[in-house]
Amino acid sequence: VTPPKRDFLQIRGLSRDRLQELIEATLRHRALMSAAEDPEHNWDWTAAPRPLAGKIIANCFLEDSTRTRCSFEVAAQRLGATTINLTASGSSTSKGESLADTARTLAAMGVDAIVVRTAASGGAMLVADTVDCPVINAGDGRHEHPTQAILDMAVLSEWFGGIEQLVGKTVCIVGDIANSRVARSATHALTTLGADVRLVGPPTLVPPSLAHLTQRHGTVEVHHHLDAALDGADAIIMLRLQLERAAGGAVANDYRTHFGLTPHRFSNLPATTPILHPGPMNRGVEIDNTAADHATQSFVTEQVGMGVAARMAVLMNLLNPSRLSCWESLTQAVR
Ligand code: CP
């Protein structure tokens, strides 16, 4: 009997165990990356096994991306897979070919997985329903960005000293929540892990109905006043004001005053509060340099590194779960 194919499309509905498994695998791959960067370890990627050798991964990015697209490519190559890269401007989607037909075309070539980013909410599910190979959602419209949530949870887990330490923590997610797939995936992940979430922004971008986004272990509150919401927060995820989506432009001018992480607001935070931002940042709009570049409290660069590890973990999990033990023993060896 052929087992059902495995996709990775959303955090919503994922069990705590599966979430934990992916976060732990991410942290193992991050440890391996750190070892490769550390001259004391006398180990580099040339010595690594190639558990996905022979696999071809199609990166189908029909909406712009720097971090997600490049980190999927780095992750696949570190694991020994080869990649093909499709973007909107250089492909037949610019001639009007549909997302489903594009996916069918790639699948017909025999690729082993499709990573898809699209402006269409639900687009990744459409692709998964269309093809027989595993599909990974790299961000679909306003719906979800599940690998971003895995990397963000890994960063927070590492900072707080373990996944279980997230239970009871309060995390502020600030910004254009209505338009944000990052916020949706992070809220599902945090509340599944037992953290409480405050969604913060102007009423136009954070409607009260978002308080009912999820009903997992943690709670979700909607806040329209940033200074009050930051009081008692254990971690802060700042989001990009999505100027390319309709709701962003309408509030851009006043945004920094009311919802930006300005030097003054940042100086009022405890020195242990981590600041995350998925990028790309609008510096001077939702976040100022003081916070974005802070040596100990900004995790923006660490998020990028963790992003490679998260995508390695997801690719391994879908394409070669039985080889995880090989990576575990290797991780032990380089510690
Ligand atoms: N965080 C994120 O999704 O960034 P990119 O759009 O650059 O991939």
Side-chain angles (χ1 to χ4, degrees):
V1 179
T2 312
K5 83 176 169 99
R6 289 155 64 88
D7 302 305
F8 190 58
L9 303 176
Q10 59 182 25
I11 300 293
R12 185 179 184 184
L14 220 58
S15 69
R16 187 192 159 91
D17 283 352
R18 178 129 162 78
L19 197 51
Q20 186 157 338
E21 176 191 12
L22 288 168
I23 296 166
E24 284 170 352
T26 297
L27 291 169
R28 282 198 297 273
H29 286 94
R30 185 70 184 95
L32 213 53
M33 290 169 63
S34 299
E37 289 159 11
D38 181 353
E40 292 213 344
H41 273 300
N42 194 25
W43 178 88
D44 65 28
W45 289 104
T46 57
R50 294 281 183 263
L52 297 189
K55 304 282 188 195
I56 299 176
I57 294 161
N59 285 328
C60 182
F61 277 69
L62 304 180
E63 195 183 54
D64 292 344
S65 167
T66 297
R67 277 147 287 270
T68 314
R69 182 163 67 88
C70 296
S71 63
F72 263 112
E73 197 163 343
V74 171
Q77 291 183 16
R78 291 295 193 208
L79 295 167
T82 50
T83 54
I84 55 171
N85 290 288
L86 197 76
T87 54
S89 64
S91 70
S92 288
T93 56
S94 66
K95 303 173 196 165
E97 187 164 39
S98 72
L99 178 61
D101 280 343
T102 302
R104 263 186 214 105
T105 303
L106 291 169
M109 295 175 194
V111 300
D112 296 286
I114 298 176
V115 179
V116 62
R117 169 167 290 194
T118 168
S121 303
M125 278 181 193
L126 173 79
V127 172
D129 287 344
T130 305
V131 300
D132 290 333
C133 64
V135 173
I136 300 171
N137 182 2
D140 61 336
R142 297 172 172 84
H143 174 226
E144 283 223 28
H145 193 349
T147 57
Q148 179 75 45
I150 298 296
L151 78 88
D152 287 342
M153 296 310 109
V155 167
L156 290 173
S157 297
E158 199 164 59
W159 175 252
F160 288 118
I163 298 171
E164 67 286 353
Q165 298 301 320
L166 289 175
V167 176
K169 291 285 188 297
T170 298
V171 180
C172 276
I173 307 179
V174 185
D176 190 353
I177 310 290
N179 288 301
S180 177
R181 55 198 176 209
V182 172
R184 277 186 183 69
S185 290
T187 300
H188 291 307
L190 286 163
T191 54
T192 300
L193 297 173
D196 299 320
V197 176
R198 295 177 184 167
L199 300 174
V200 192
T204 46
L205 301 182
V206 192
S209 59
L210 284 172
H212 308 292
L213 186 62
T214 180
Q215 293 185 324
R216 303 301 288 251
H217 304 295
T219 60
V220 181
E221 291 177 358
V222 164
H223 288 253
H224 300 308
H225 296 283
L226 178 57
D227 294 309
L230 292 179
D231 189 23
D234 297 295
I236 302 166
I237 302 176
M238 300 302 297
L239 298 178
R240 185 171 66 92
L241 189 60
Q242 300 194 59
L243 301 168
E244 78 277 23
R245 301 201 203 279
V251 296
N253 292 342
D254 288 338
Y255 191 83
R256 179 176 176 275
T257 308
H258 296 290
F259 296 102
L261 193 51
T262 58
H264 176 70
R265 284 201 176 97
F266 182 67
S267 69
N268 286 334
L269 296 173
T272 50
T273 308
I275 310 296
L276 283 71
H277 190 306
M281 294 183 279
N282 295 310
R283 289 175 183 261
V285 181
E286 73 268 3
I287 190 165
D288 281 13
N289 293 346
T290 319
D293 300 329
H294 194 272
T296 56
Q297 284 178 260
S298 171
F299 284 76
V300 175
T301 306
E302 175 53 18
Q303 285 173 277
V304 177
M306 197 67 87
V308 173
R311 278 122 201 171
M312 290 172 89
V314 171
L315 287 170
M316 280 295 288
N317 190 271
L318 293 189
L319 291 176
N320 203 345
S322 64
R323 297 290 286 272
L324 266 178
S325 58
C326 148
W327 283 92
E328 278 160 16
S329 57
L330 187 64
T331 304
Q332 294 301 326
V334 297
R335 269 196 177 139

